[in-house]
């Protein structure tokens, strides 16, 4: 139900958001100045109401999730980003690099209902090109039907360098070996200032955008992210979103935007706080309002925490990601969320938010809509985690 516009504008005028409700109601694009006003305003409730309006216009009451597994195939990494707790040098304690056989074994024993494997990892130039093709082949050999969503732009950049071939040729070979789409990571925040300060060895915004453009033009769908809560300014957050929106205008290749809240534990910048629940909700709502050309906004529960992910379903998000298992990047950085959820735990979160659980595949095609109730408990394969963080 839409609230009267004049009441929304009256409130917006008092909370620094004047004119934004009218633009949202009229389906007009928000400007960078609007983006900044939204980050500066403490009226997260109004942002949530507006973002919910957009979300309901696009998706009604549906809340998507998928049944997926994570394989972080190596933590070897030469980027040494200050925000990362996952990276290791090969000789460090806890360093690992899975062989193709281990990837195969991981998938073979994984939840048989999983429709997606999410494979992202560190970057180590000594891994040869054949390794990447072999882990894709191993995943498909173990689970021929599974959708392989793998490699952030940072990994793709390294794979292209290692292969020594043009991007399109590499993409064709990765596709042949089993790659189906790509996640959104590696963008961090596009600010060159923050990159120099915290991740100078990682590619800059220009290369990230160039790769994403090439990948979309090739025909792969990807997601996009923003890692927030480090030392970026609010202007830099808006600039990041504006760059994503501009690329989406060109290519239409992004399926979903995933705002990633910085987890400080065990990182080089652990003096910074984990973003507050309100900041996490604000980031979801602003993503929905500003990125008017990206169909979905994901509340990635692993990193948001379950209570905030559930609230996000009322404030702009239409997707909870998946059941997940074996996620290491956030858990190494102190995430207190469970290792995985089963369908019923996800349905509970969604139904309590007044939404309808719909299982999707990676490309957002509907697999099952649960109007008639939840699946029987015996269909749930993985144990349910606690619903608190
Ligand atoms: O690129 C690393 C981020 C990303 C930390 O596309 C951190 O559906 C917070 O991209 N605190 C990888 N964030 C994960 C990723 C992702 C996750 C879930 C779904 C999708 C999707 C993509 O994780 C990295 C980096 O931006 N990251 N360390 C940290 N301490």
């Amino acid at each position: 139900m839409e609230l009267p516009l004049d009441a929304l504008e009256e409130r917006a005028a008092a909370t620094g958001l004047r004119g934004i409700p009218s633009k949202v109601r009229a389906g007009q694009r928000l400007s960078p100045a609007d983006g900044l006003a939204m980050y500066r305003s403490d009226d997260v409730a109004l942002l949530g109401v507006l973002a919910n309006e957009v979300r309901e216009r696009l998706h009604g009451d549906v809340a998507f999730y998928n049944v997926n597994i994570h394989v972080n195939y190596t933590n070897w990494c030469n980027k040494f980003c200050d925000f990362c707790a996952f990276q290791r040098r090969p000789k460090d304690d806890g360093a690992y690099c899975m062989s193709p056989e281990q990837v195969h074994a991981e998938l073979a024993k994984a939840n048989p209902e999983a429709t997606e494997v999410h494979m992202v990892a560190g970057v180590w130039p000594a891994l040869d090109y054949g390794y990447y093709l072999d882990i894709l082949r191993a995943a498909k050999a173990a689970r021929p039907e599974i959708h392989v969503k793998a490699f952030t732009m940072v990994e793709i950049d390294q794979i292209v360098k290692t292969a020594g071939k043009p991007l399109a040729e590499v993409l064709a070979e990765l596709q042949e070996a089993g790659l189906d789409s790509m996640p959104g990571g590696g963008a961090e925040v596009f600010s060159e200032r923050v990159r120099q300060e915290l991740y100078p060895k990682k590619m800059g915004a220009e290369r990230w955008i160039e790769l994403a453009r090439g990948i979309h033009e090739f025909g792969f769908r990807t997601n996009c992210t923003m890692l927030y809560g480090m030392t970026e300014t609010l202007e830099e957050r808006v600039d990041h979103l504006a760059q994503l929106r501009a690329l989406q205008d060109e290519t239409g290749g992004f399926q979903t935007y995933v705002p990633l809240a910085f987890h400080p534990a065990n990182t080089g910048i652990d003096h910074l706080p984990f973003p507050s629940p309100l900041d996490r909700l604000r980031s979801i709502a602003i993503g929905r309002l500003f990125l008017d050309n990206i169909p979905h906004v994901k509340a990635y529960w692993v990193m948001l925490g379950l209570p905030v992910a559930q609230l996000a379903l009322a404030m702009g998000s239409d997707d909870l990601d998946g059941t997940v298992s074996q996620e290491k990047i956030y858990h190494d950085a102190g995430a207190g969320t469970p290792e995985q959820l089963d369908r019923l735990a996800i349905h509970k979160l969604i139904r309590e938010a007044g939404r309808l659980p719909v299982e999707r595949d990676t490309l957002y095609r509907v697999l099952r809509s649960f109007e008639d109730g939840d699946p029987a408990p015996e269909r749930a394969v993985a144990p349910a985690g606690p619903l608190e963080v």
Side-chain angles (χ1 to χ4, degrees):
M1 189 194 68
E2 291 186 348
L3 297 169
L5 183 57
D6 51 356
L8 294 175
E9 276 296 355
E10 194 179 326
R11 176 165 174 156
T15 58
L17 297 170
R18 187 192 299 275
I20 292 177
S22 304
K23 284 191 182 176
V24 170
R25 187 64 55 85
Q28 273 172 25
R29 177 160 278 192
L30 298 179
S31 66
D34 295 326
L36 197 54
M38 294 192 289
Y39 274 118
R40 285 191 177 142
S41 171
D42 56 12
D43 197 356
V44 178
L46 180 56
L47 293 176
V49 165
L50 296 174
N52 189 51
E53 215 176 289
V54 176
R55 173 253 195 262
E56 288 187 353
R57 216 182 282 156
L58 291 169
H59 308 293
D61 263 346
V62 164
F64 294 103
Y65 74 95
N66 70 352
V67 181
N68 65 351
I69 54 176
H70 280 224
V71 174
N72 299 127
Y73 55 89
T74 183
N75 58 3
W76 295 357
C77 196
N78 71 348
K79 301 296 176 205
F80 309 116
C81 304
D82 279 349
F83 61 78
C84 182
F86 175 67
Q87 63 191 321
R88 298 283 186 284
R89 291 181 179 84
K91 292 209 166 79
D92 289 346
D93 277 355
Y96 70 90
C97 180
M98 291 168 74
S99 64
E101 293 70 28
Q102 286 171 314
V103 170
H104 184 284
E106 205 54 45
L107 270 104
K109 70 171 191 222
N111 182 347
E113 294 193 10
T115 59
E116 169 191 283
V117 58
H118 170 111
M119 291 212 295
V120 298
V123 163
W124 196 255
L127 291 173
D128 62 30
Y129 180 44
Y131 171 78
Y132 293 98
L133 298 171
D134 285 346
I135 58 174
L136 293 170
R137 290 186 189 115
K140 283 284 183 183
R143 299 288 292 273
E145 302 305 321
I146 214 157
H147 181 111
V148 180
K149 177 181 81 170
F151 308 138
T152 65
M153 297 302 154
V154 184
E155 289 156 278
I156 291 290
D157 187 47
Q158 184 58 52
I159 295 170
V160 168
K161 277 189 194 132
T162 306
K165 299 179 185 184
L167 175 66
E169 208 173 308
V170 171
L171 293 175
E173 288 172 354
L174 294 173
Q175 188 175 46
E176 173 73 23
L179 183 65
D180 294 303
S181 72
M182 287 173 216
E188 323 318 354
V189 64
F190 286 145
S191 157
E192 183 57 18
R193 186 191 64 79
V194 179
R195 186 176 84 84
Q196 288 300 340
E197 185 189 333
L198 301 179
Y199 37 93
K201 291 189 188 305
K202 190 170 261 180
M203 65 163 77
E206 221 172 288
R207 177 67 177 149
W208 194 96
I209 300 251
E210 177 190 326
L211 281 172
R213 182 184 288 117
I215 286 165
H216 292 170
E217 280 167 1
F218 178 84
F220 279 122
R221 309 306 299 274
T222 77
N223 297 334
C224 58
T225 57
M226 174 169 70
L227 174 55
Y228 65 93
M230 301 182 293
T231 57
E232 77 285 354
T233 63
L234 300 184
E235 286 83 352
E236 286 165 338
R237 288 188 192 178
V238 173
D239 178 64
H240 183 101
L241 295 180
Q243 293 202 52
L244 293 178
R245 191 170 72 178
L247 183 61
Q248 180 73 345
D249 278 342
E250 265 183 63
T251 68
F254 293 129
Q255 305 195 101
T256 183
Y257 166 62
V258 199
L260 299 170
F262 172 58
H263 274 261
N266 308 316
T267 72
I269 43 175
D270 61 0
H271 58 286
L272 294 174
F274 181 44
S276 69
L278 277 177
D279 209 20
R280 282 174 263 160
L281 288 171
R282 185 200 316 271
S283 299
I284 292 279
I286 294 176
R288 181 60 287 157
L289 291 166
F290 198 83
L291 299 172
D292 55 0
N293 52 4
I294 298 184
H296 304 280
V297 173
K298 188 181 282 190
Y300 183 45
W301 61 263
V302 173
M303 142 249 141
L304 282 180
L306 297 175
V308 172
Q310 186 180 49
L311 286 164
L313 294 177
M315 299 180 82
S317 172
D318 60 287
D319 184 28
L320 281 182
D321 195 78
T323 49
V324 177
S325 68
Q326 309 279 342
E327 194 288 327
K328 294 192 172 62
I329 297 174
Y330 290 95
H331 288 95
D332 282 359
T337 40
E339 283 267 321
Q340 59 191 17
L341 293 179
D342 71 8
R343 284 174 188 282
L344 291 181
I346 289 191
H347 284 212
K348 182 169 187 289
L349 286 172
I350 292 175
R351 291 205 192 276
E352 283 175 1
R355 304 296 191 194
L356 171 69
V358 169
E359 184 189 349
R360 62 165 174 86
D361 68 6
T362 310
L363 302 175
Y364 287 85
R365 292 173 297 212
V366 172
L367 299 180
R368 289 169 78 188
S369 180
F370 292 89
E371 280 96 352
D372 299 331
D374 296 327
E378 60 270 22
R379 287 191 61 83
V381 176
L387 287 186
E388 299 301 326
V389 286

